[in-house]
Amino acid sequence: MRMKKSAQRVLIVDGHPDGAAERFIHALAAAYAAGAREAGHDVEVLRVADLDFPLLRSNDDFRRGQPAATIARAQERLKWCTHLVVLYPLWLGSMPALLKGFLEQVFRPGFAFGPARKGGLPKKRLAGRSARVVVTMGMPAFFYRWYYRAHSLKSLERNILSFTGFSPIRTTIVGNVETPRAKTRERYLEEMRALGVP
């Protein structure tokens, strides 16, 4: 087993709302986890499809509501990790609603960010952690990145992760996943395993 000089605590959030085993996101998440464990990192996986939590319906609930037990446990894991991996499929140009609802619940004020300093931005309470975002889609990756300018990916990167202190944030776009050839699929899985090693 290859060991890193300094092991990380890796939290993988599998953001596909469909728990069916054939969803490629699940295979990519498992491959990343395998590479990270091989490298000697501590790894935990949260599958959003397996979690039961309510959606936020008001600003008051977002700011002052008590998170459900499922969300409180996810927040504990987020505080525990030193590296976060979020994987999701592109649906209607953005992340699936269930993943967005999960992130809204977890990244609450008081937990993910503190009150704004006078004349400044809110305190970043999750600083000191790095992140990787992996997005799958039916279109070619270059088309999403250059024509659509990867807008949903940039929103997650800038408005949630960077806003709460994550740095650096790296991204991986996996295109043409609806009908991948076996060789292409395996190449994507090998890339995920390799990403989990550093």
Side-chain angles (χ1 to χ4, degrees), residues 36-116:
R37 288 186 177 114
E38 181 184 347
H41 302 308
D42 294 327
V43 179
E44 291 202 19
V45 179
L46 282 177
R47 287 177 24 123
V48 173
D50 299 337
L51 303 179
D52 183 21
F53 57 88
L55 298 178
L56 292 172
R57 296 181 180 273
S58 71
N59 185 51
D60 186 65
D61 192 10
F62 176 62
R63 295 190 172 280
R64 287 177 281 279
Q66 283 295 108
T70 301
I71 297 301
R73 286 193 294 272
Q75 288 176 330
E76 289 173 7
R77 295 298 83 201
L78 194 56
K79 285 170 62 176
W80 164 84
C81 79
T82 57
H83 182 65
L84 173 68
V85 183
V86 180
L87 304 96
Y88 67 89
L90 192 72
W91 283 13
L92 290 178
S94 188
M95 68 178 70
L98 191 65
L99 176 60
K100 182 64 162 59
F102 171 77
L103 296 176
E104 288 174 357
Q105 281 278 17
V106 171
F107 284 80
R108 289 170 175 260
F111 170 75
F113 58 95

Side-chain angles (χ1 to χ4, degrees), residues 113-123:
F113 58 95
R117 301 182 184 93
K118 187 175 181 180
L121 294 171
K123 181 177 181 182

Side-chain angles (χ1 to χ4, degrees), residues 2-10 36 39-42 82-83 196-198:
R2 288 176 289 174
M3 297 292 291
K4 279 192 67 67
K5 292 179 181 177
S6 58
Q8 293 194 65
R9 298 186 299 275
V10 180
H41 302 308
D42 294 327
T82 57
H83 182 65
V197 171

